[in-house]
Amino acid sequence: MIRESAIRIPFRYAAGGAGSRFLAALRDERRILGARCDGCRRVFAPLRSFCSSCGASPLEEIALGPGGRVEAWTARADGTVFALVRLDGADTALLHRLVGLPGEPRRGMRVRARFAAERRASILDIAGFEPEEGASA
Amino acid sequence: MSAGALRRPVYVSGIGESRPVPRDPRAIPEMVLEAVQAAYADARCAHTDIDAVVTASVDLLDGLTASNIAVTEVVDAVMKPETRISSEGLAAALHAAAQIASGAYDAVLVVAHAKTSMADYQGLTRWALDPIHVQPLGADFLACAGLQAAMLADGDPGAERRWAKVAAERRRAGNGTFLIPSSVEEILLSPVIAAPLREGMCAPLGDAACAVVLTAGSAAVRLTGVGWDLDSHALGERDLRRWDGLRRAFARACAVAGMDPRGMPIDLVEPSCFYPHEEEMFRAATAIGERAELSPDGGLFAGTAPVVAGLSRFAAAARGVRAGRAKRALAHGAWGPAGQGQAVAILQAGA
């Protein structure tokens, strides 16, 4: 015998100080914030409150992108394309989606953030990264 | 990094498994009980001989909070000190080993279980990712594996066929109950599920349980090396082309075992590779050469279950040593997105 069930429980995840600042900048300024560590000179995307390499805190806030390069991409059976995008100025890559692709993407391809028209302080305020004009897909 | 030898010897006295199947009709406790009873029979012991229990289970997979409390009775944890690890079963074994090495207990039962047939496993793994920056995107562990595979396949046109060959070769060696493509051509025609990964390349996931009895008292197989490591959760912060966490875990395990890894002293290797590209990363991180026998029973490619996989590799490595096929064997477990967590155990023959 099988009992069918489903768990439906709404959650409230705190974004934290750096996370809230990052999301607010997406929503209000259409800017992608990152963090620079003075100690090890590493630049993180997205904004974070401490350095995962050397533990330094707080970190300097800087704007990244909105352009960058595709470091890796994968496509799901439903056509969703996920990618690691290395934003201009960053040492780490941001995981997001690729959109508006004319064909198969490729590693190293130039892309640019496309912001959602309606923004709600979510990572989805970036609708996705699309090929930069002139970039061959 | 410092890692000394275990303060007290730790032995593998018993192993028991409920064989991985696509869908086990039994309830979780029944499936777990089979593995526990088999391990006791193998160790020629009874529940009164067990001092403590370490279980590995994941709430999201069981659809239960505190999933260990549903198996308390069948793992003989009632009125005993139980510890629960919410990750890989091999990590549970290493914690049990620490309990014995410290002198706290003389006999510890380790049990891992998972039934992926209960729900959409990849859908569940979405809830294991960063809830602010990643979860809303809809990415899951499979997408993470796809990105890692993409990194490795870049500029390597032969990767796809090579990976299909690995999956086919392992599956031929295995004796699984899963209906899955087993020839290279079939695998290369199977659907792309996270490019460049195809369905046929992946280890099929089902339901399984595994139990191991570790003791201070002498047995045919001794656990001499333990090491584990966690890498960054964010994929973009790691060099995804490498399993650096495994390299560190392996170095720690070798240091504990008092072994020089460059001497290639391991003759049987049981890695937890759910995808063929992981086998290549495993080889690179551990510098295991072609001389060592790798996954002679097909590893995970014949069918497995998350959480159980690493402990089942530990059981396979112990069987190999016990049967005299290997003097020294390595078991590996991995968990989290793109192998964020890594654990290594080194087993060798006898007292």
Side-chain angles (χ1 to χ4, degrees):
Chain A
M1 306 283 255
I2 298 290
R3 184 180 79 90
E4 302 272 354
S5 182
I7 301 174
R8 292 188 195 88
I9 300 171
F11 275 86
R12 301 174 69 247
Y13 296 99
S20 299
R21 176 80 192 105
F22 173 76
L23 296 178
L26 291 182
R27 182 188 59 193
D28 304 334
E29 306 162 40
R30 298 191 196 207
R31 287 204 306 159
I32 305 171
L33 297 183
R36 178 175 17 229
C37 175
D38 276 341
C40 58
R41 315 305 301 170
R42 213 167 169 216
V43 177
F44 294 94
L47 181 65
R48 53 183 303 150
S49 57
F50 65 96
C51 176
S52 59
S53 298
C54 71
S57 179
L59 306 181
E60 181 194 349
E61 179 183 304
I62 58 167
L64 300 170
R69 285 188 188 281
V70 172
E71 278 204 339
W73 64 272
T74 185
R76 219 161 43 184
D78 68 4
T80 310
V81 179
F82 297 106
L84 287 166
V85 175
R86 177 85 69 109
L87 291 163
D88 294 338
D91 293 320
T92 69
L94 187 74
L95 177 59
H96 215 288
R97 297 177 186 163
L98 297 186
V99 293
L101 295 165
E104 195 167 272
R106 57 177 175 76
R107 181 180 156 93
M109 186 173 84
R110 290 286 309 171
V111 289
R112 174 175 287 265
R114 183 207 286 172
F115 285 87
E118 198 177 316
R119 295 184 301 282
R120 300 170 177 165
S122 155
I123 189 69
L124 295 174
D125 287 356
I126 302 171
F129 285 81
E130 57 190 0
E132 258 184 2
E133 257 172 57
S136 58
Chain B
M1 185 191 301
S2 74
L6 296 174
R7 289 182 184 179
R8 261 200 332 166
V10 178
Y11 295 92
V12 185
S13 292
I15 47 186
E17 291 189 80
S18 157
R19 190 179 185 209
V21 292
R23 184 183 294 266
D24 192 318
R26 294 174 294 181
I28 287 172
E30 294 170 329
M31 189 178 76
V32 168
L33 185 62
E34 181 195 342
V36 172
Q37 288 180 334
Y40 283 172
D42 187 43
R44 294 194 176 85
C45 77
H47 75 274
T48 46
D49 300 315
I50 300 295
D51 302 321
V53 180
V54 184
T55 60
S57 58
V58 173
D59 292 358
L60 268 174
L61 300 189
D62 284 14
L64 278 177
T65 55
S67 50
N68 56 322
I69 63 174
V71 294
T72 309
E73 289 83 3
V74 290
V75 300
D76 275 331
V78 177
M79 293 189 286
K80 279 181 188 164
E82 188 247 15
T83 310
R84 184 272 184 109
I85 307 276
S86 187
S87 73
E88 228 310 307
L90 186 58
L94 303 191
H95 283 268
Q99 292 180 344
I100 291 172
S102 72
Y105 305 114
D106 290 333
V108 182
L109 174 69
V110 186
V111 185
H113 76 261
K115 276 187 83 172
T116 58
S117 69
M118 287 172 64
D120 166 12
Y121 172 69
Q122 290 300 341
L124 287 172
T125 63
R126 184 179 158 187
W127 303 99
L129 296 168
D130 176 337
I132 305 300
H133 303 98
V134 180
Q135 219 175 76
L137 299 171
D140 52 24
F141 281 12
L142 181 60
C144 295
L147 287 169
Q148 190 157 47
M151 285 278 214
L152 287 159
D154 186 57
D156 180 2
E160 211 185 336
R161 179 162 285 272
R162 201 170 64 239
W163 294 345
K165 271 184 173 167
V166 168
E169 189 182 323
R170 300 281 167 253
R171 231 158 251 162
R172 266 200 306 278
N175 183 23
T177 58
F178 292 75
L179 284 171
I180 37 175
S182 50
S183 79
V184 174
E185 297 312 320
E186 277 177 306
I187 290 168
L188 287 173
L189 286 171
S190 65
V192 174
I193 52 169
L197 295 175
R198 291 177 182 274
E199 190 174 31
M201 291 175 182
C202 311
L205 301 179
D207 305 344
C210 184
V212 169
V213 178
L214 298 183
T215 57
S218 182
V221 183
R222 185 171 163 187
L223 171 60
T224 53
V226 297
W228 60 93
D229 192 274
L230 266 186
D231 212 327
S232 288
H233 181 64
L235 301 191
E237 283 191 29
R238 291 189 233 159
D239 183 347
L240 270 192
R241 290 165 300 183
R242 303 193 312 233
W243 266 354
D244 284 337
L246 173 58
R247 189 175 46 76
R248 291 186 293 264
F250 177 64
R252 286 178 192 130
C254 288
V256 171
M259 200 177 89
D260 179 0
R262 289 164 305 181
M264 305 285 181
I266 293 166
D267 31 34
L268 171 63
V269 186
E270 290 288 356
S272 280
C273 296
F274 292 88
Y275 310 99
H277 68 278
E278 293 186 340
E279 199 173 290
E280 295 179 354
M281 286 191 296
F282 176 88
R283 284 186 188 276
T286 56
I288 295 289
E290 296 292 335
R291 273 188 311 163
E293 200 179 12
L294 189 142
S295 299
D297 66 354
L300 307 184
F301 288 98
T304 187
V307 185
V308 179
L311 192 62
S312 80
R313 296 305 87 212
F314 184 88
R319 275 194 297 268
V321 173
R322 199 189 270 178
R325 283 170 67 176
K327 284 199 177 92
R328 210 184 253 128
L330 181 155
H332 162 243
W335 64 96
Q340 182 191 359
Q342 298 282 346
V344 170
I346 294 168
L347 301 172
Q348 62 186 68

